[in-house]
Amino acid sequence: MNTSYKILGTGSCLPELTVDNEMYAKVIDTSDEWITSRTGISRRHLCDGEATWEMAVKAASIAIGEAGVSAETINMIVVTTLTPDYTTPSTACIVQERTGAVNAFCFDLNAACTGFIQAFDIAMHYLCASAEPFTALIVAAESLSKLVDFSDRRTCVLFGDGAGAVVLSNREADGSLLAPDLVYDSFIGADGTGGGYMTGKAFEPAEHPFRDADKPEREDLFGHETGIYLSMKGQEVYRFATTAMPMAIEKVLERAGIALEKIDYVVPHQANDRILQAAAKRIGLDPEKMLSNIAETGNTSSASIPICLDQEIRSGRIKRGQTLIMTGFGGGLTYGACALNY
Ligand code: ACO
């Protein structure tokens, strides 16, 4: 049984098109002042023809290159997305085909914005349970612009598109054993009672010839009234986030047996700067340690954590040997956190 795993490489991809707050103010009743003061968002990247799978493949390819492993050595690919291009094949299978990771088993996971944390938790358990070398590729790829009603100012200004990826292994890239006990721990949870706070309809059922036309339409489980578009109860989500994120961080610290002071940085889901600052205050974390790129990316759902992680590694702020917590919350409701040694 291994006790260690390591992030060998990371990658990310943002669509070329950048849309700033002023551009929104030209098409809906909003302002740069409202958006920045309430959310911390100045601009975001939106797909302009790029598919979710394309961003996933780009981020994955960069992460595999950075990891210095051959694609054939990857055992598992998980793609987290609530905005896939196809219901089948899974985006993970597309990533496998495009990257040449021919030996990997593949699946997609949808836990809204917590997807990356849930995938990390699952991968960590595989890595630690395997006596053999095991390498996992996690990709989080989202095109929220597909789900957002651009006439609804309460939601459309919040979201952006992009993808992030990590390669994790229980071996060094050259196959040698890792130093023991690098693994810390993770915690994931859900509260289905808040399912109605953030809803998106999967698809309308296809008509079949045996349907009784006189049968009344079934009422929507959540009273979702915005068709294919996302619907969000912002204040309820805000309240949940400012409680769930600190709770997840405290749980993971407790499980891992490490003190908050040992944490170099927290890489959180980028939903709203005010949420991040409130969460830091609640647990007594130095706000400088709560990393944020939301000003430039908006909320890219499950992709936001690995995008931020990749950018901070490339900027040199996150360095080898540092202790990190990644934490997220999202629709479902779902939440979670992982502690690791980078
Ligand atoms: N521009 C200008 N005015 C706006 C805008 C906008 N873009 N959006 C809303 N308003 C108006 C509202 O219409 C309302 O006006 P009214 O009082 O005349 O009706 C007023 O601003 C206040 O609206 P609130 O919804 O109360 O604004 P609030 O301060 O709560 O901020 C926000 C809204 C930013 C959405 C906040 O509630 C929030 O961040 N919630 C959490 C959202 C979140 O984290 N979502 C993602 C989680 S899940 C996932 O990531 C997939």
Side-chain angles (χ1 to χ4, degrees):
M1 180 84 134
N2 282 281
T3 52
S4 292
Y5 69 90
K6 184 175 174 182
I7 293 181
L8 294 180
T10 62
S12 62
C13 165
L14 293 169
E16 269 179 38
L17 176 67
T18 306
V19 181
D20 66 21
N21 294 343
E22 300 292 356
M23 291 163 80
Y24 278 80
K26 288 189 182 128
V27 293
I28 49 166
D29 181 14
T30 190
S31 65
D32 177 49
E33 196 282 327
W34 193 97
I35 302 170
T36 42
S37 64
R38 302 283 179 127
T39 70
I41 299 167
S42 301
R43 55 190 65 79
R44 69 294 283 149
H45 296 256
L46 299 183
C47 289
D48 184 16
E50 297 96 334
T52 302
W53 68 261
E54 271 180 294
M55 296 189 293
V57 168
K58 277 191 190 155
S61 304
I62 296 168
I64 294 168
E66 290 288 319
V69 297
S70 95
E72 291 88 6
T73 62
I74 295 171
N75 302 88
M76 164 187 189
I77 301 175
V78 191
V79 172
T80 72
T81 184
L82 79 154
T83 49
D85 307 292
Y86 301 94
T87 50
T88 187
S90 68
T91 312
C93 282
I94 300 174
V95 170
Q96 187 218 41
E97 191 268 327
R98 296 281 156 152
T99 58
V102 290
N103 295 309
F105 65 87
C106 305
F107 63 94
D108 284 3
L109 184 162
N110 174 1
C113 307
T114 317
F116 180 77
I117 299 296
Q118 291 202 355
F120 202 94
D121 175 89
I122 293 166
M124 193 189 85
H125 284 93
Y126 269 95
L127 292 161
C128 295
S130 174
E132 300 297 316
F134 193 95
T135 299
L137 168 65
I138 305 173
V139 190
E142 302 282 9
S143 310
L144 273 299
S145 58
K146 287 203 261 193
L147 281 190
V148 167
D149 176 358
F150 280 86
S151 67
D152 176 9
R153 67 177 184 175
R154 291 165 305 155
T155 52
C156 73
V157 300
L158 303 174
F159 296 104
D161 301 335
V166 299
V167 173
L168 292 168
S169 185
N170 59 10
R171 294 287 190 280
E172 296 286 359
D174 64 6
S176 59
L177 287 173
L178 294 172
D181 297 324
L182 280 181
V183 64
Y184 286 135
D185 221 322
S186 74
F187 165 79
I188 52 177
D191 174 8
T193 63
Y197 294 169
M198 178 99 198
T199 54
K201 204 90 174 146
F203 41 74
E204 292 297 323
E207 287 296 327
H208 64 68
F210 312 106
R211 212 161 155 184
D212 178 352
D214 297 329
K215 219 171 173 181
E217 289 284 321
R218 179 188 284 271
E219 269 187 31
D220 187 89
L221 179 61
F222 299 108
H224 178 91
E225 286 173 347
T226 52
I228 58 160
Y229 298 122
L230 271 185
S231 169
M232 183 177 71
K233 295 189 169 59
Q235 291 189 358
E236 280 85 345
V237 176
Y238 190 97
R239 268 194 290 278
F240 165 71
T242 50
T243 313
M245 209 138 75
M247 191 260 276
I249 293 174
E250 279 167 354
K251 281 248 189 222
V252 86
L253 286 171
E254 190 186 313
R255 281 191 175 184
I258 48 177
L260 184 68
E261 296 66 46
K262 190 150 190 290
I263 301 304
D264 293 292
Y265 291 109
V266 173
V267 188
H269 168 47
Q270 308 287 318
N272 183 325
D273 233 0
R274 286 194 297 150
I275 293 176
L276 304 189
Q277 294 316 315
K281 193 168 173 196
R282 193 172 270 222
I283 56 172
L285 179 80
D286 173 357
E288 295 290 313
K289 291 187 172 185
M290 188 67 99
L291 299 180
S292 174
N293 65 352
I294 194 168
E296 302 297 318
T297 57
N299 177 349
T300 56
S301 191
S302 72
S304 83
I305 295 172
I307 292 172
C308 184
L309 177 72
D310 181 55
Q311 290 179 343
E312 294 292 5
I313 289 170
R314 281 167 205 281
S315 77
R317 179 142 50 170
I318 293 180
K319 298 180 183 62
R320 286 289 177 198
Q322 288 177 337
T323 304
L324 309 178
I325 285 184
M326 303 189 290
T327 181
F329 66 91
L333 299 164
T334 52
Y335 54 102
C338 311
L340 65 141
N341 182 295
Y342 177 69

